[in-house]
């Protein structure tokens, strides 16, 4: 015990034992899978979103989907948890992480009022519109079990 205190203390030894460094992608995925909460950064409709399970995501209107459809998010750039993060180059392979999103509704945003005016001519036009949106519920994040080679 005296040697541990001389070398830097018991706190450093216990901290090193808790934090393990992954040596490969499969071991990093296993460490992320063991964590209670995960998140992903995924591209959807041309934008990147930070997503966690059970999130409600509002994106610009997706015309080719119906309410109740399940979408598989294919472009996942990063997966992580509180302790570990794994970034793709530029994306993580599709077979490593699977994230599903369910279409909840098609809705419209608030009323936007655009006023066009030209000076000294009496020209005033008011344009009103509502932007259409699609709302998605993010499902569970499934991290693939690494295959062990014997």
């Amino acid at each position: 015990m005296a040697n541990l205190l001389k070398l830097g203390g018991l706190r450093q030894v216990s901290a090193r034992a808790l934090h393990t460094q992954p040596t490969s992608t499969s071991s990093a995925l296993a460490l992320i899978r063991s964590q209670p909460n995960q998140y992903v950064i995924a591209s959807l409709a041309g934008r990147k979103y930070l997503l966690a399970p059970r999130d409600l995501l509002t994106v610009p209107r997706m015309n080719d989907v119906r309410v109740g459809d399940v979408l598989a998010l294919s472009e996942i750039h990063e997966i992580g948890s509180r302790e570990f993060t794994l970034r793709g180059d530029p994306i993580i392979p599709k077979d490593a992480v699977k994230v599903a999103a369910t279409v909840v509704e098609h809705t419209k945003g608030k009323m936007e009022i655009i006023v066009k005016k030209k000076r000294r001519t009496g020209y005033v036009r008011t344009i009103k519109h509502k932007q259409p949106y699609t709302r998605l519920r993010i499902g569970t994040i499934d991290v693939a079990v690494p295959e062990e080679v014997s």
Side-chain angles (χ1 to χ4, degrees):
M1 189 68 177
N3 288 339
L4 283 178
L5 293 175
K6 288 180 185 176
L7 294 174
L10 189 59
R11 181 174 287 167
Q12 281 186 331
V13 173
S14 65
R16 268 190 236 120
L18 288 176
H19 294 74
T20 58
Q21 295 294 326
T23 57
S24 66
T25 304
S26 60
S27 64
L29 285 172
L31 286 170
I32 291 172
R33 190 169 197 261
S34 68
Q35 298 292 313
N37 298 322
Q38 292 100 17
Y39 71 90
V40 294
I41 295 179
S43 289
L44 188 67
R47 293 184 181 172
K48 290 184 182 180
Y49 296 98
L50 176 68
L51 305 171
R54 298 176 302 281
D55 277 355
L56 193 62
L57 178 65
T58 304
V59 296
R61 173 76 183 224
M62 301 172 78
N63 291 324
D64 53 345
V65 296
R66 296 174 184 241
V67 175
D69 286 353
V70 178
L71 307 173
L73 302 181
S74 59
E75 291 188 16
I76 298 175
H77 299 279
E78 180 177 318
I79 182 170
S81 63
R82 176 173 230 124
E83 301 282 330
F84 305 102
T85 300
L86 180 66
R87 289 191 179 143
D89 186 25
I91 61 173
I92 295 174
K94 294 179 184 178
D95 57 345
V97 180
K98 296 187 186 327
V99 180
T102 307
V103 178
V104 177
E105 67 177 342
H106 294 291
T107 185
K108 292 184 179 180
K110 64 180 183 128
M111 180 69 75
E112 299 283 336
I113 300 172
I114 298 139
V115 178
K116 292 184 171 185
K117 181 179 181 199
K118 294 189 178 179
R119 297 188 300 171
R120 295 183 292 275
T121 60
Y123 177 83
V124 177
R125 295 289 180 266
T126 304
I127 302 170
K128 299 178 182 178
H129 83 285
K130 292 184 177 182
Q131 190 71 30
Y133 293 107
T134 299
R135 302 199 69 178
L136 304 172
R137 175 73 65 185
I138 304 301
T140 59
I141 298 171
D142 296 326
V143 181
V145 178
E147 298 176 9
E148 296 184 17
V149 179
S150 359

